[in-house]
Amino acid sequence: EAQVTQNPRYLITVTGKKLTVTCSQNMNHEYMSWYRQDPGLGLRQIYYSMNVEVTDKGDVPEGYKVSRKEKRNFPLILESPSPNQTSLYFCASSFHRGDTEAFFGQGTRLTVV
Amino acid sequence: KQEVTQIPAALSVPEGENLVLNCSFTDSAIYNLQWFRQDPGKGLTSLLLIQSSQREQTSGRLNASLDKSSGRSTLYIAASQPGDSATYLCAVRPRSGSARQLTFGSGTQLTVLP
């Protein structure tokens, strides 16, 4: 089954404790990205990757890091989480062509206390 | 900058009604428009993808239309059911820029009453 898998689904952590949210896709997609969803602000892109070892900032990259060492994986790293990073996070993937469908993971609910 | 607006923000209808959700966007230079469904606290499920060259797409009781020149799309749901209750999001993929990022509307929260 074609899917984007995120882990964990739920996470509660303390301020400053480094964490990683994993994302994996099995569709051989070149393009992967991370979004956060906040009430009243909608979905905003954090980082994206056009292919292995190619990453770039989206609209709200501050406080986040990513890496793309393999085509299927695109982890989101919070080196020093803060309460304003409490949010619902989504990983998405698609082929690089602009006319293709985007697939989303099930989301990760992160709470930073 | 592309902006996507969805009206209404919330909608409540009795079971069995046909309904229309609206989505408008400001920049017509898009590759496609995608409609998603989101259940509370859950992920995004893709419902329909309409390419910029297409006028409509159908899947079961769902029909999505696209008028790129006027910057509008509608999602028609026939014979609504309580299980259709969810938030519906539309998103456009712009032709400009390398980010390929989807620009989302803020969603329409649909409640179908039994």
Side-chain angles (χ1 to χ4, degrees):
Chain A
E1 179 188 357
Q3 59 185 4
V4 179
T5 304
Q6 293 179 230
N7 280 296
R9 293 288 312 280
Y10 303 92
L11 180 59
I12 301 175
T13 190
V14 297
T15 299
K17 185 176 181 181
K18 181 179 178 180
L19 67 91
T20 299
V21 183
T22 64
C23 173
S24 180
Q25 50 91 7
N26 63 359
M27 294 167 279
N28 203 33
H29 287 161
E30 301 94 358
Y31 183 81
M32 298 184 74
S33 60
W34 278 101
Y35 292 81
R36 61 179 287 175
Q37 185 180 34
D38 302 288
L41 296 175
L43 281 114
R44 295 175 293 169
Q45 192 184 58
I46 302 170
Y47 266 95
Y48 66 96
S49 170
M50 306 284 261
N51 215 323
V52 176
E53 303 290 2
V54 181
T55 64
D56 209 343
K57 298 176 181 179
D59 291 333
V60 287
E62 294 77 20
Y64 304 94
K65 286 176 57 177
V66 293
S67 70
R68 188 90 181 272
K69 292 182 169 54
E70 304 166 283
K71 197 172 188 179
R72 64 183 292 125
N73 296 322
F74 190 45
L76 179 69
I77 304 157
L78 285 73
E79 295 268 0
S80 182
S82 62
N84 65 12
Q85 293 178 297
T86 293
S87 188
L88 180 59
Y89 291 86
F90 290 104
C91 179
S93 75
S94 66
F95 289 112
H96 179 63
R97 284 188 353 259
D99 60 350
T100 60
E101 183 177 6
F103 293 82
F104 280 76
Q106 285 300 99
T108 296
R109 171 76 66 184
L110 172 65
T111 301
V112 183
V113 298
Chain B
K1 181 184 176 184
Q2 178 76 266
E3 292 182 3
V4 180
T5 303
Q6 290 187 248
I7 294 173
L11 180 64
S12 184
V13 300
E15 181 176 4
E17 276 206 2
N18 303 323
L19 58 98
V20 174
L21 308 181
N22 296 293
C23 172
S24 61
F25 48 96
T26 55
D27 187 347
S28 62
I30 62 170
Y31 277 112
N32 55 45
L33 183 145
Q34 200 165 347
W35 281 94
F36 294 90
R37 168 186 173 137
Q38 184 176 24
D39 293 283
K42 299 287 182 66
L44 301 175
T45 301
S46 180
L47 297 173
L48 288 164
L49 172 72
I50 311 179
Q51 302 295 349
S52 61
S53 58
Q54 296 175 322
R55 297 287 291 184
E56 65 179 88
Q57 282 286 343
T58 298
S59 176
R61 294 183 294 109
L62 306 179
N63 176 277
S65 69
L66 175 65
D67 184 342
K68 194 179 69 165
S69 60
S70 67
R72 295 184 182 186
S73 176
T74 62
L75 179 66
Y76 174 84
I77 302 177
S80 59
Q81 303 170 357
D84 294 329
S85 298
T87 296
Y88 291 80
L89 297 160
C90 69
V92 297
R93 190 186 291 272
R95 284 191 174 274
S96 60
S98 62
R100 292 281 190 268
Q101 69 169 306
L102 294 171
T103 301
F104 283 85
S106 52
T108 294
Q109 186 173 356
L110 173 66
T111 303
V112 181
L113 303 169

